[in-house]
């Protein structure tokens, strides 16, 4: 591919080169795939747009076209991916003005959201239904327990080896993931913030110290052949249906873990570190509805406290 940028080339061609130069090899494959999806939408929405002709009206038209098929947050993500390339084109003198300035982000009416997390009673019922007696192989029920207790991501759980446990200090080190999509083995974590040590309760320490004591310390404890995300979600669904609680995914257990911590009064900073979020902003955005509910409780508490000052 010719990597020279040209103001007279089609915008989607410029964007394709921009991905090749600035993103390929610099971002995770899953992120790169998102950029490639954005590229496919640019081809569809603006197939004949030339770089030098890109202006505010043209850009707003692209955003509006994308928003017809997507919710506002998804449209915002699309905008942010395209904007990065446009600002580089501006720096390189390929366009004269920033066409993204004052853009209006629209989107479809959000669809009704499925329940993504369980309350404390529902989680207790779910965990009580797990089969944790078999010691022949550490199966999916054990992963469900560990994710519920730690809030780690599915790929992080798959990457856990016996030596990642420090039973004397009651911690679990998250320092790698497992590539279950392509089957290439261990991979780096999502970002630097994802490398962390998570404190474990004494019961979890006792359970996993027994389970892992005879396992190879450098091999993943949950991987026994080809792994599919749908497999553990099916196991989790069966347990949810059996105890009569909402059906959630394995990622929903991560949300459950975080939600329960927030409801118990754990600080956003501590929850963010435990989840491996890059910043507290991510945690606040993801759990905004819970934070708002807690703030309403705080207002009631403040009012009750002030009413007693007489």
């Amino acid at each position: 591919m010719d990597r020279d940028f040209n103001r007279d080339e089609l915008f989607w061609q410029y964007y394709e080169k921009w991905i090749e130069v600035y993103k390929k090899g610099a971002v995770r494959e899953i992120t790169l795939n998102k950029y490639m999806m954005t590229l496919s939408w640019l081809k569809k929405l603006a197939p004949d747009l030339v770089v030098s002709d890109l202006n505010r009206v043209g850009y707003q038209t692209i955003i509006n076209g994308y928003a017809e098929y997507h919710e506002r947050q998804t449209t915002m993500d699309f905008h942010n991916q395209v904007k990065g390339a446009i600002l580089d084109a501006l720096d390189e003198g390929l366009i004269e003005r920033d066409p993204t300035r004052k853009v209006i982000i629209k989107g479809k009416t959000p669809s009704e959201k499925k329940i993504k997390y369980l309350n404390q009673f529902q989680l207790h019922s779910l965990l009580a239904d797990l089969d944790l007696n078999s010691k022949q192989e550490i199966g999916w029920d054990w992963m469900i327990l560990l994710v519920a207790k730690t809030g780690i991501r599915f790929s992080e759980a798959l990457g856990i080896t016996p030596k990642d446990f420090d039973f004397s200090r009651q911690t679990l080190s998250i320092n790698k993931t497992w590539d279950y999509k392509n089957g290439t083995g261990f991979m780096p974590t999502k970002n630097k913030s994802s490398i962390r040590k998570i404190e474990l309760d004494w019961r979890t320490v006792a359970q996993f110290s027994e389970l892992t004591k005879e396992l190879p310390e450098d091999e993943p404890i949950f991987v026994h052949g080809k792994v599919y995300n749908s497999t553990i979600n099916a196991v989790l669904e069966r347990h949810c249906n059996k105890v009569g609680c909402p059906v959630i995914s394995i990622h929903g257990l991560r949300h459950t873990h975080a939600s329960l911590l927030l409801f118990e009064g754990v600080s956003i900073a501590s929850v963010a570190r435990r989840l491996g979020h890059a910043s507290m902003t991510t945690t606040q955005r993801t759990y905004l509805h819970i934070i708002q509910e807690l703030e309403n409780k705080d207002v009631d508490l403040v009012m009750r406290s002030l009413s007693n000052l007489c």
Side-chain angles (χ1 to χ4, degrees):
M1 177 185 292
D2 179 11
R3 296 189 178 186
D4 290 336
F5 296 117
N6 190 325
R7 68 193 312 271
D8 295 322
E9 67 184 334
L10 296 175
F11 179 64
W12 68 261
Q13 292 177 328
Y14 164 80
Y15 190 76
E16 185 175 33
K17 291 180 183 178
W18 181 83
I19 294 174
E20 177 74 20
V21 172
Y22 293 106
K23 297 303 175 183
K24 194 171 183 179
V27 298
R28 289 164 58 93
E29 184 176 357
I30 188 170
T31 304
L32 184 64
N33 289 339
K34 292 178 181 178
Y35 279 103
M36 297 307 295
M37 183 61 69
T38 297
L39 171 63
S40 67
W41 272 98
L42 288 176
K43 291 180 181 180
K44 177 180 178 180
L45 296 170
D48 302 317
L49 178 65
V50 175
V51 173
S52 59
D53 291 337
L54 185 59
N55 53 33
R56 286 185 59 198
V57 173
Y59 185 69
Q60 185 68 62
T61 301
I62 292 174
I63 294 298
N64 291 349
Y66 188 84
E68 287 184 20
Y69 303 93
H70 301 85
E71 294 180 12
R72 187 179 185 280
Q73 183 56 55
T74 308
T75 305
M76 177 64 77
D77 295 339
F78 173 82
H79 158 66
N80 287 332
Q81 287 202 332
V82 179
K83 182 178 179 179
I86 289 177
L87 293 181
D88 281 346
L90 183 66
D91 289 343
E92 293 164 4
L94 303 182
I95 53 177
E96 296 181 358
R97 296 181 179 85
D98 179 8
T100 69
R101 194 174 71 87
K102 294 185 178 181
V103 67
I104 305 298
I105 304 299
K106 305 175 185 179
K108 291 170 54 180
T109 301
S111 57
E112 185 177 346
K113 301 299 183 183
K114 291 177 61 178
I115 295 175
K116 292 183 178 181
Y117 64 93
L118 305 178
N119 61 35
Q120 189 168 6
F121 174 77
Q122 292 165 338
L123 179 62
H124 179 77
S125 299
L126 173 67
L127 297 184
D129 191 57
L130 300 179
D131 179 10
L132 303 179
N133 295 319
S134 174
K135 297 180 181 179
Q136 295 181 356
E137 184 177 276
I138 304 181
W140 295 126
D141 281 17
W142 283 107
M143 178 186 281
I144 290 172
L145 175 69
L146 190 62
V147 173
K149 290 291 191 79
T150 61
I152 56 179
R153 301 175 177 93
F154 178 57
S155 60
E156 292 173 342
L158 290 174
I160 291 173
T161 63
K163 76 174 184 179
D164 293 324
F165 290 96
D166 187 335
F167 296 118
S168 62
R169 292 182 171 83
Q170 294 190 201
T171 61
L172 172 63
S173 293
I174 304 299
N175 48 51
K176 58 191 174 304
T177 63
W178 184 265
D179 181 17
Y180 64 94
K181 293 183 178 179
N182 300 308
T184 61
F186 291 115
M187 288 183 62
T189 55
K190 184 176 182 180
N191 49 52
K192 288 184 178 180
S193 301
S194 297
I195 300 175
R196 62 203 188 277
K197 291 183 183 295
I198 299 176
E199 294 78 13
L200 302 174
D201 64 276
W202 68 267
R203 188 182 299 275
T204 303
V205 167
Q207 290 170 318
F208 278 88
S209 62
E210 179 67 21
L211 285 167
T212 61
K213 64 182 181 180
E214 296 181 1
L215 297 179
E217 65 174 22
D218 290 321
E219 294 183 13
I221 64 176
F222 293 117
V223 178
H224 312 290
K226 180 64 177 175
V227 178
Y228 298 95
N229 182 270
S230 58
T231 303
I232 190 169
N233 283 336
V235 173
L236 189 52
E237 181 178 0
R238 286 196 296 272
H239 285 299
C240 289
N241 286 330
K242 187 175 178 182
V243 301
C245 70
V247 174
I248 62 171
S249 65
I250 190 68
H251 196 73
L253 274 182
R254 175 173 162 86
H255 289 314
T256 297
H257 180 81
S259 302
L260 293 181
L261 292 182
L262 290 170
F263 276 121
E264 287 296 321
V266 178
S267 71
I268 295 175
S270 294
V271 173
R273 283 195 298 271
R274 194 168 176 87
L275 295 180
H277 282 164
S279 71
M280 284 189 292
T281 302
T282 303
T283 313
Q284 290 171 321
R285 184 174 64 247
T286 305
Y287 302 102
L288 178 62
H289 59 297
I290 295 174
I291 294 169
Q292 289 174 336
E293 186 174 341
L294 292 173
E295 287 176 345
N296 292 335
K297 291 182 179 180
D298 287 344
V299 171
D300 292 339
L301 180 61
V302 169
M303 292 302 101
R304 286 199 301 272
S305 300
L306 292 177
S307 66
N308 294 325
L309 296 177
C310 60

